[in-house]
């Protein structure tokens, strides 16, 4: 079964391919760089689930193939669950990962470390040419530290320590992070659902 992951992010594509191989699922995963360009939708929904479905539908409609899309981000309890769906644009529309990270660190600078709790959230949506759609959500609970640590991962990984860990997500090996991450949980659940659907 061919599935297009609606992203240009090479790290997300590699992550999904690792998880597919780990699950032994018979899927041929393509990214947006492997298909003809199309106008990608603005992420206008107020929920991760809504944005993931928006992207999966647009990809399916443009390519004629089954599509997977995710929307993910970080929710910080002290910031009333922000950045949330604005995680990738927290420091502005064209902000880099580094700029987003530095803004969040600055916003938490004068807070009690014990209260810097939050979670990563991922919603994964599937949309098939026959109209079938399915959305799953998963979270990764933890706390934020005041200075980036580690060379792996991306986004806010260098300042996030998952519950039960002492290392940041960026200090974990990719396989260690996949085993416990919000996206890993959501993708595994989606792959199980797809296997049941195909079976």
């Amino acid at each position: 079964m061919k599935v297009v992951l609606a992203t240009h992010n090479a790290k997300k594509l590699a992550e999904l391919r690792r998880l597919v191989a780990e699950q032994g699922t018979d899927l041929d995963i393509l990214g947006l760089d492997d298909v003809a360009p199309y106008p990608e939708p603005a992420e206008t929904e107020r929920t991760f689930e809504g944005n993931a479905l928006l992207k999966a539908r647009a990809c399916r409609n443009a390519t004629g193939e089954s599509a997977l899309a995710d929307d993910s981000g970080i929710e910080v309890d002290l910031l009333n669950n922000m950045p949330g769906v604005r995680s990738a644009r927290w420091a502005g529309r064209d902000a880099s990962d580094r700029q987003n990270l530095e803004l969040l660190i600055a916003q938490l600078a004068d807070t009690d470390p014990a209260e810097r709790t939050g979670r990563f959230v991922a919603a994964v949506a599937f949309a098939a040419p026959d109209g079938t759609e399915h959305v799953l959500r998963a979270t990764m609970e933890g706390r934020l530290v005041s200075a980036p640590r580690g060379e792996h991962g991306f986004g806010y990984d260098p300042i996030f320590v998952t519950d039960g860990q002492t290392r940041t997500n960026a200090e974990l090996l990719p396989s260690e992070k996949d085993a416990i991450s919000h996206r890993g949980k959501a993708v595994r659940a989606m792959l199980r659902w797809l296997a049941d659907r195909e079976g």
Side-chain angles (χ1 to χ4, degrees):
M1 179 182 174
K2 187 184 293 183
V3 178
V4 181
L5 179 63
T7 187
H8 292 285
N9 186 320
K11 290 184 178 180
K12 281 189 180 182
L13 191 58
E15 185 177 53
L16 178 58
R17 286 176 172 153
R18 279 197 310 270
L19 290 166
V20 166
E22 172 198 296
Q23 296 287 99
T25 311
D26 188 21
L27 292 179
D28 180 16
I29 305 293
L30 305 176
L32 290 185
D33 293 333
D34 301 315
V35 299
Y38 63 87
E40 294 172 49
E43 296 179 22
T44 54
E45 296 294 319
R46 291 173 178 259
T47 65
F48 293 108
E49 292 89 340
N51 282 324
L53 198 50
L54 198 87
K55 292 187 280 188
R57 285 172 176 162
C59 183
R60 172 199 59 199
N61 295 345
T63 65
E65 303 284 357
S66 292
L68 275 174
D70 89 296
D71 193 39
S72 54
I74 192 167
E75 295 179 341
V76 180
D77 294 326
L78 284 171
L79 300 178
N80 296 317
N81 289 340
M82 297 299 282
V85 295
R86 296 190 50 80
S87 293
R89 305 177 299 281
W90 192 230
R93 183 170 297 280
D94 298 314
S96 67
D97 279 0
R98 188 76 195 178
Q99 289 169 318
N100 288 328
L101 190 71
E102 287 172 353
L103 176 58
L104 191 56
I105 289 170
Q107 289 170 324
L108 295 174
D110 296 325
T111 62
D112 180 347
E115 294 182 356
R116 294 179 196 151
T117 54
R119 70 209 48 81
F120 274 116
V121 179
V124 176
F126 172 79
D130 67 3
T132 301
E133 296 179 343
H134 191 59
V135 187
L136 289 165
R137 173 189 175 104
T139 62
M140 181 187 211
E141 301 288 331
R143 60 187 174 81
L144 289 88
V145 295
S146 56
R149 303 195 319 246
E151 303 300 322
H152 303 294
F154 52 93
Y156 298 95
D157 282 341
I159 60 168
F160 189 84
V161 177
T162 306
D163 285 350
Q165 290 284 330
T166 56
R167 293 174 293 165
T168 69
N169 280 5
E171 291 176 301
L172 300 176
L173 294 173
S175 58
E176 292 177 303
K177 181 188 162 194
D178 287 350
I180 59 174
S181 79
H182 51 307
R183 193 177 297 106
K185 292 175 193 173
V187 168
R188 279 190 197 87
M190 183 63 79
L191 292 176
R192 287 192 295 270
W193 180 84
L194 285 171
D196 290 345
R197 178 177 182 265
E198 291 300 298

